Structures are given as structure tokens and as C-alpha cells.
């Protein structure tokens, strides 16, 4: 049985009304879904909100999951949908808000320890959203190419192309920062 086989069994039980299975799914998948959101957003609070919104939507549409299909891409597809809706909603709100004058003194940001999620978000920030999303799913969530393709409603070839282009941009950025380890430095 695949590692996700347990998740598929839990999802089938959840669909049948076993809310203990729902709790187990939340405990197992929330950390990686949260990392997905943190990697896409600057705010941990927004990531927390989106995670909660994702689980509410999963509960509402759990009947649409087809038993026997991989469950992780199904969850990420919903998470992606929630993130896109959040972006659209935020964009509409930003257009209607008035510009507020910023205070003259802003508190200094708290230092992050190297290797934190904030560092990852900062490193990936200049990438186009589609490349950033694919890299997060592949490298942070550990999803396969096929799973990412399902979650993003695209082809495996398209996922490979986005990942390759994203890796190339990251290599150039790391080289410019003096952090490059050469072509074999870990981004592949």
C-alpha cells in the first residue's frame, strides 16, 4: 500500500460519516497544507485563515472525492482554489481601500533564524506564481509530478517546464547572492 493509501482509507471513512477519520486527516495534512500557504503568502495569519477555510471547504465538498483516486492532489486542488479566491478577494478589497498614511517609525522586524519558512518565502517571492506553486508542491510538500499536475489542473509536461524554469531562476538568484553550489547544488 502506498503511503497515501492510509489517507485514502481515512477519506473514504470521512465520506461515510466517521469524523474521527476527519480528525486524523486534519492532523496528518494540515502541516504540509499550512507550509503550502506560508510559502505563497507573506502573512502567517493569512496562511492560518486559508488553512481553516480549506478544511471548511473540504468538509462541504467531501462527497466529490472519488474513492480510489489519489487523495493528496484532491486536497491540494482545493487548497489552490481557496488561495486563488483569497488573492482575487484581496485584490478587489485593495482597489477599494484608501491609502492610509504610514507612521514615521515602524518597529524593526523580528529576526528570523536561517532556514525558516520565511526565508523560503523570500527566496521564492520573485518567481512567477505558477513556478512558485509548483516548486512548493514538489519540494516542500513532496508531491509527485503527477500529483502536482492533478492539483493544478495541468499536464505533467507543463509542471516539469514550470519547475525547470523556476529552478533556473533560483540558481541565478542564488549565484547572485553568492550562495550557489554550482549546477549540482541541490535544485533539480
Amino acid at each position: 500500500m502506498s503511503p497515501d493509501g492510509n489517507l485514502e482509507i481515512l477519506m473514504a471513512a470521512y465520506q461515510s460519516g466517521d469524523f474521527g477519520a476527519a480528525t486524523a486527516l486534519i492532523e496528518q495534512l494540515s502541516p504540509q497544507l499550512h507550509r503550502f500557504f506560508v510559502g505563497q503568502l507573506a502573512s502567517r495569519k493569512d496562511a492560518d485563515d486559508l488553512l481553516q477555510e480549506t478544511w471548511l471547504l473540504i468538509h462541504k465538498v467531501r462527497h466529490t472525492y472519488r474513492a480510489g483516486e489519489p487523495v493528496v492532489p484532491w486536497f491540494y486542488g482545493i487548497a489552490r482554489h481557496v488561495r486563488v479566491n483569497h488573492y482575487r478577494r484581496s485584490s478587489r478589497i485593495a482597489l477599494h481601500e484608501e491609502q492610509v498614511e504610514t507612521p514615521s517609525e515602524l518597529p524593526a522586524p523580528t529576526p528570523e533564524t536561517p532556514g525558516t519558512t520565511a526565508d523560503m518565502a523570500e527566496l521564492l517571492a520573485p518567481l512567477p506564481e505558477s513556478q512558485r506553486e509548483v516548486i512548493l508542491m514538489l519540494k516542500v510538500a513532496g508531491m509527485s509530478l503527477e500529483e502536482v499536475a492533478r492539483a493544478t489542473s495541468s499536464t505533467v509536461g507543463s509542471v516539469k517546464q514550470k519547475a525547470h524554469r523556476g529552478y533556473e531562476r533560483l540558481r541565478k538568484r542564488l549565484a547572485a547572492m553568492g550562495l550557489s553550489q554550482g549546477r549540482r547544488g541541490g535544485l533539480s
Side-chain angles (χ1 to χ4, degrees):
M1 179 182 293
S2 72
D4 293 338
N6 186 39
L7 295 176
E8 292 165 1
I9 292 168
L10 287 172
M11 187 62 193
Y14 177 35
Q15 283 181 309
S16 299
D18 180 352
F19 292 103
T23 302
L25 284 168
I26 291 168
E27 288 173 357
Q28 288 185 34
L29 290 169
S30 286
Q32 70 186 68
L33 289 172
H34 191 263
R35 284 189 301 272
F36 171 71
F37 289 129
V38 168
Q40 299 276 327
L41 306 166
S43 165
R44 187 169 289 277
K45 181 189 175 301
D46 285 344
D48 293 344
D49 291 344
L50 290 181
L51 179 63
Q52 183 176 6
E53 191 176 329
T54 298
W55 283 111
L56 289 171
L57 185 57
I58 286 168
H59 179 72
K60 184 177 178 180
V61 301
R62 68 187 182 276
H63 66 278
T64 64
Y65 169 71
R66 291 182 295 220
E69 292 286 322
V71 72
V72 173
W74 186 81
F75 281 112
Y76 270 89
I78 292 171
R80 182 175 185 263
H81 174 77
V82 167
R83 184 188 48 77
V84 167
N85 282 345
H86 170 77
Y87 174 76
R88 288 177 181 155
R89 189 171 45 246
S90 298
S91 296
R92 283 193 304 269
I93 290 170
L95 287 174
H96 299 294
E97 287 182 347
E98 291 182 359
Q99 186 71 12
V100 178
E101 193 173 309
T102 58
S104 59
E105 284 188 38
L106 295 174
T110 56
E112 296 271 349
T113 56
T116 63
T117 308
D119 291 338
M120 175 69 83
E122 184 180 326
L123 182 64
L124 297 177
L127 295 178
E129 183 179 336
S130 63
Q131 292 173 6
R132 187 172 55 242
E133 178 180 59
V134 165
I135 290 172
L136 283 168
M137 287 182 183
L138 288 170
K139 296 299 181 183
V140 176
M143 294 171 68
S144 70
L145 290 168
E146 293 78 13
E147 289 172 332
V148 174
R150 279 192 184 123
T152 59
S153 300
S154 58
T155 65
V156 171
S158 175
V159 169
K160 285 181 180 180
Q161 183 181 46
K162 289 173 188 172
H164 175 73
R165 289 179 178 171
Y167 298 151
E168 285 299 315
R169 285 183 178 206
L170 286 175
R171 281 186 195 100
K172 288 177 185 173
R173 182 144 194 244
L174 291 171
M177 295 168 69
L179 300 173
S180 178
Q181 298 175 4
R183 179 104 177 124
R184 298 184 183 264
L187 288 178
S188 57

